[in-house]
Amino acid sequence: MPSPSPSTSPPPSRLWRDRSFRRLWAGQTASQFGEHTAVVVLPLVAVVTLGAEAGQLGALRAASQAPMLLLSLLVGAWVDRWRTRTVMVAADAGRAVVLGAVAVAAFTGRLDLVSLAVAAVVVGTLSVFFDVAYQASAVRLVARDELVRANSALEGSRSAAQTGGPALGGVLVSLLSAPVAVASGAVFFAVSFLSVRGIRRAESVPRRAPGGSGVWSRVRDGWRFVVGDAALRAVCVASAAFQFAFSAATTVYLLFLPRDLSLSGAGVGLVLAAVGPGALVGSVLAARLPRRFGYGRVLVTAAVVGDGVWLCVPALHGSPAVTVPVLCGVGLVFGAGGQLVNVTVMAVRQTVTPDGMQARVAATVTCVGMGATPLGSLLGGLLAEVWGTRPALAVAAVAMLVSPVVMAVSPLGRLGRALPPGSGGSGGGQ
């Protein structure tokens, strides 16, 4: 089956008239809210309903996060061979059933920590499948000159869910009960299932070579493709540098806010939530600025401004009446710059990658970037313990600027108003 051509997709000004994209966006939005609500609700079930201790809670969270690091590469290789609609529908159905079973078990008093941990692993695994699939689906459903607008919408939803999902989960547990909150997650996934299932446009599934090839061979092909492309290499290096430094900064930041600035729990929550609205602004800007000023210039500038704003944080002193508004401003700028970088990088990555490699490349970049986060967290905690929070936070903030430097000296920084010619087609679909 031939790849979708621009003639079969809506013109640039009519993306939202495309029924298939609307259904993908609506389903992805519901799925992201279900996923990020579950991130808070399942641990709260462990604490509120099962009386879990700190060590048990940490193990539960680690179990839910493990699939992202352990399975991303394999999932990318598998998804490149399947219809993304099928993958997303199956992932939604599975997560809805699992959370529904957890809710029933909690209501009937039959839930235990082992069962909850198994459910968290299954939900986390299916979320990896869905997240890799929706990124590949955008390429198969939308014309390449529409990818920036499409990604802006999809990433905007993801950012809103990252901020609103945990807050919603906390509210549901507080106002209703933990089992009801779990059931709400199942409802989100059911809504996503119905929306994605309604996509009717035929996908271009990458062709398989005669006899096919093993999954590990396809994983290696994905690695080789990323390593062999200068732009994708830069994306991986910049992502790993950022995630490492940002993970360290976040670890120290969560100590710095209550201890050094004496912020209450509500104040900390307000400061952290400010990133969400900023990310929504960044999503809107990402649909306009690159084509006006150039992708490279926007990418590097957004990274410098968004990451550089952290440099003022270690110098903050004073009462919460002074520091909270400043920190909210930092969060807004950081969220806008970070989201502008995310959407722009995703458009570049999708354009230079053949259709048959989309899921594997997305998984490879995710694995490289996210693989650096545990080490960053450990280093941040060590620096805070040895040097104190302010010096540690300053060092981590400076380290965050390594990422825009990598982009500036790479092919990413030299991109103009048009994206580079894509590999297109179904190449790499071994």
Side-chain angles (χ1 to χ4, degrees):
M1 185 179 295
S3 300
S5 64
S7 62
T8 62
S9 298
S13 61
R14 298 180 180 178
L15 178 66
W16 290 104
R17 298 183 184 181
D18 180 1
R19 182 174 180 271
S20 293
F21 175 74
R22 290 201 312 270
R23 285 192 170 273
L24 171 63
W25 173 79
Q28 181 255 5
T29 300
S31 173
Q32 291 295 311
F33 269 94
E35 180 178 335
H36 290 287
T37 299
V39 166
V40 168
V41 168
L42 292 182
L44 287 178
V45 169
V47 174
V48 175
T49 304
L50 303 177
E53 298 177 355
Q56 295 171 320
L57 183 61
L60 175 66
R61 287 182 54 82
S64 67
Q65 295 166 345
M68 176 66 74
L69 297 177
L70 300 178
L71 298 178
S72 291
L73 294 177
L74 292 175
V75 170
W78 287 324
V79 170
D80 269 333
R81 285 195 159 190
W82 298 336
R83 284 181 170 82
T84 56
R85 174 183 175 275
T86 302
V87 175
M88 290 185 288
V89 166
D92 281 332
R95 290 182 293 182
V97 169
V98 170
L99 290 186
V102 171
V104 171
F107 273 122
T108 59
R110 297 180 179 179
L111 185 66
D112 56 35
L113 281 173
V114 174
S115 300
L116 188 61
V118 171
V121 171
V122 174
V123 170
T125 298
L126 294 175
S127 293
V128 173
F129 275 91
F130 187 96
D131 291 347
V132 171
Y134 90 72
Q135 294 181 54
S137 181
V139 179
R140 298 182 189 179
L141 293 178
V142 178
R144 287 191 175 250
D145 61 358
E146 279 294 319
L147 280 177
V148 172
R149 288 187 175 90
N151 286 328
S152 178
L154 294 171
E155 288 298 292
S157 296
R158 184 176 65 86
S159 296
Q162 285 178 324
T163 301
L168 177 61
V171 169
L172 290 174
V173 171
S174 300
L175 297 183
L176 301 174
S177 67
V180 172
V182 174
S184 71
V187 171
F188 276 119
F189 291 131
V191 170
S192 179
F193 170 89
L194 293 174
S195 181
V196 174
R197 191 170 180 271
I199 296 175
R200 295 292 177 237
R201 180 174 299 167
E203 283 188 42
S204 172
V205 180
R207 295 187 300 272
R208 303 184 187 186
S213 58
V215 63
W216 289 110
S217 176
R218 298 198 301 276
V219 168
R220 287 194 299 270
D221 288 342
W223 271 102
R224 288 169 183 158
F225 184 82
V226 170
V227 172
D229 186 279
L232 293 178
R233 284 200 309 271
V235 168
C236 278
V237 175
S239 176
F242 171 78
Q243 293 294 349
F244 179 82
F246 180 61
S247 183
T250 301
T251 300
V252 182
Y253 195 52
L254 293 175
L255 298 171
F256 177 73
L257 294 179
R259 293 183 182 178
D260 292 67
L261 299 185
S262 301
L263 297 192
S264 64
V268 172
L270 179 62
V271 167
L272 297 178
V275 175
L280 295 178
V281 172
S283 295
V284 174
L285 295 177
R288 297 171 173 81
L289 296 186
R291 292 182 180 180
R292 180 174 180 181
F293 298 106
Y295 284 84
R297 182 180 299 176
V298 168
L299 190 59
V300 174
T301 302
V304 170
V305 174
D307 296 347
V309 73
W310 273 74
L311 293 172
C312 72
V313 175
L316 285 178
H317 292 82
S319 69
V322 174
T323 58
V324 168
V326 174
L327 290 170
C328 286
V330 169
L332 287 170
V333 173
F334 173 71
Q339 190 69 353
L340 188 49
V341 170
N342 289 342
V343 174
T344 305
V345 164
M346 185 178 291
V348 174
R349 190 199 76 208
Q350 291 173 334
T351 299
V352 303
T353 303
D355 290 350
M357 284 277 187
Q358 288 290 341
R360 278 173 285 177
V361 169
T364 300
V365 173
T366 298
C367 182
V368 172
M370 295 302 296
T373 57
L375 295 176
S377 295
L378 291 174
L379 179 62
L382 178 62
L383 292 179
E385 183 177 346
V386 174
W387 293 348
T389 52
R390 288 185 188 274
L393 191 56
V395 170
V398 171
M400 288 172 64
L401 293 175
V402 172
S403 179
V405 170
V406 170
M407 291 189 285
V409 301
S410 75
L412 297 175
R414 297 190 290 273
L415 293 174
R417 291 187 177 92
L419 289 170
S423 300
S426 298
Q430 296 300 308

